[in-house]
Structure formats: C-alpha cells, structure tokens
C-alpha cells in the first residue's frame, strides 16, 4: 500500500468535491454523521481506558479470577474479552489481553495457542453485544432512521450476541479444545512480541 487507507478516503471526497460531483454540504456531511462520531468516540474511550490503566487493572483481575484449570481459564478469558469488546475496539481489547493471556498460560503450563485463538474469537463475537461494538450496526441503525423506522437501541442486539458468545465458549470447551493447536512456543514469548514497544493506531 503506497497511500494509507484514511488518506485515500479523504482524497476521494476531495476529488468528488473538486469535480463538482458533490456539493460542499454533501462532502462534509460525514462529519455530522452519528455513526462516524460514535466510532470516533469509541477510539477515544478505548485510548483513555488504556492510558489510565483501567484496562490493565481489569486484565489483572481476570488473571486472578481465572485460576489454573484450562476450562475455567478459557471461559473467564473469553467472557471477559467479549464484554470488553462490546464497549471498545476489539483489536485494542485483543492487544491488551495478549500479554495477560501469555502470563496465565505460562503460570498454568498451558500452550499459549490453546488460549490465544479463543480470545481472538471472543473479541470478534463481543462486538455483537452492543451496537457501539461494530460500525456496521451503527450504520444499520442510521439506515433504519432514514426510512422512518426507530433506531436500534444500544443493547437491542444483545440477546443474539449473548447466544453467540455462549455458544462459542461451549464449543471451545468441548469440541474446539481438541481442534486448537498445541504449540508450546518459546519461553520468552512476551519478550518476543515486544508488546511494550509496539504501537498501533
């Protein structure tokens, strides 16, 4: 990729305005879009929770509650990651939980691969618990309003999301645990990832 995705999006809007395909009001209408503002707010909220150490404290509590048995650890990690992903960006949630998961895996003598894949699944499924978890739901809500229908409530999709998350946890604890790779990895996994030096936006 020669040009970043966000710059491509801006250049497209500028080009459409410069060629008079869009008026100035239409070109700037995205900045008044409720879904766009909510998504931007979610990134700010995720950053604030991380910068203030709230997510790290939450992750430490998860580590203490999880214990040492594989089933309990997996269930607690997946449920916790799902809830976190409902209110923050799922990639941020996964990045925060990776070092915690690696530490738990080492202490419990469980292959990291047995825990890392389940938390990545849980992070994606957690976006189905609230409409602020994924931009697609916000856009769907906006489209409903456009056609005169009531918008989606914050937790209106939660029943489906909860069912999906519970099903995923049960699957991983029964059939999935035998399908997950059993890779011990290196003893210095946390150093290998260099998570304290890795920045992403």
């Amino acid at each position: 990729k020669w040009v970043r995705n966000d710059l491509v999006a801006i250049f497209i809007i500028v080009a459409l305005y410069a060629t008079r395909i869009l008026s100035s009001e239409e070109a700037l209408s995205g900045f008044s879009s409720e879904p766009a503002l909510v998504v931007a707010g979610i990134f700010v909220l995720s950053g604030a929770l991380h910068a203030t150490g709230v997510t790290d404290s939450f992750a430490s509590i998860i580590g203490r509650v999880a214990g040492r048995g594989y089933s309990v650890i997996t269930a607690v990690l997946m449920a916790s990651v799902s809830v976190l992903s409902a209110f923050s960006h799922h990639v941020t949630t996964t990045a925060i939980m990776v070092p915690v998961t690696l530490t738990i895996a080492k202490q419990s003598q469980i292959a990291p691969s047995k825990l890392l894949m389940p938390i990545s699944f849980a992070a994606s499924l957690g976006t189905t618990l609230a409409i602020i978890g994924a931009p697609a739901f916000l856009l769907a809500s906006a489209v409903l309003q456009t056609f005169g229908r009531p918008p989606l409530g914050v937790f209106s999709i939660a029943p489906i999301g909860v069912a999906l998350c519970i099903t995923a946890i049960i699957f991983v604890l029964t059939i999935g645990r035998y399908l997950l790779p059993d890779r011990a990895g290196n003893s210095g996994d946390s150093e290998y990832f260099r998570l304290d030096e890795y920045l992403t936006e």
Side-chain angles (χ1 to χ4, degrees), residues 79-169:
S80 304
V81 169
S82 297
V83 172
L84 280 174
S85 293
F87 302 101
S88 63
H89 196 271
H90 66 281
V91 175
T92 304
T93 301
T94 305
I96 291 168
M97 291 304 297
V98 163
V100 176
T101 303
L102 291 175
T103 301
I104 293 173
K106 186 175 182 179
Q107 292 173 347
S108 306
Q109 297 183 337
I110 299 172
S113 59
K114 290 281 189 181
L115 297 176
L116 291 174
M117 289 186 76
I119 68 166
S120 68
F121 299 151
S124 296
L125 290 172
T127 61
T128 62
L129 295 175
I131 67 168
I132 60 176
F137 295 122
L138 294 170
L139 293 173
S141 181
V143 170
L144 286 173
Q145 287 181 282
T146 302
F147 287 96
R149 302 293 299 274
L152 295 173
V154 175
F155 297 107
S156 60
I157 61 172
I160 297 173
V162 169
L164 287 172
C165 291
I166 291 174
T167 302
I169 293 172

Side-chain angles (χ1 to χ4, degrees), residues 70 113-114 117-118 121 171-183:
Y70 176 77
S113 59
K114 290 281 189 181
M117 289 186 76
F121 299 151
F171 176 80
V172 169
L173 293 179
T174 53
I175 301 172
R177 67 190 301 168
Y178 302 106
L179 301 176
L180 292 169
D182 189 2
R183 297 175 187 146

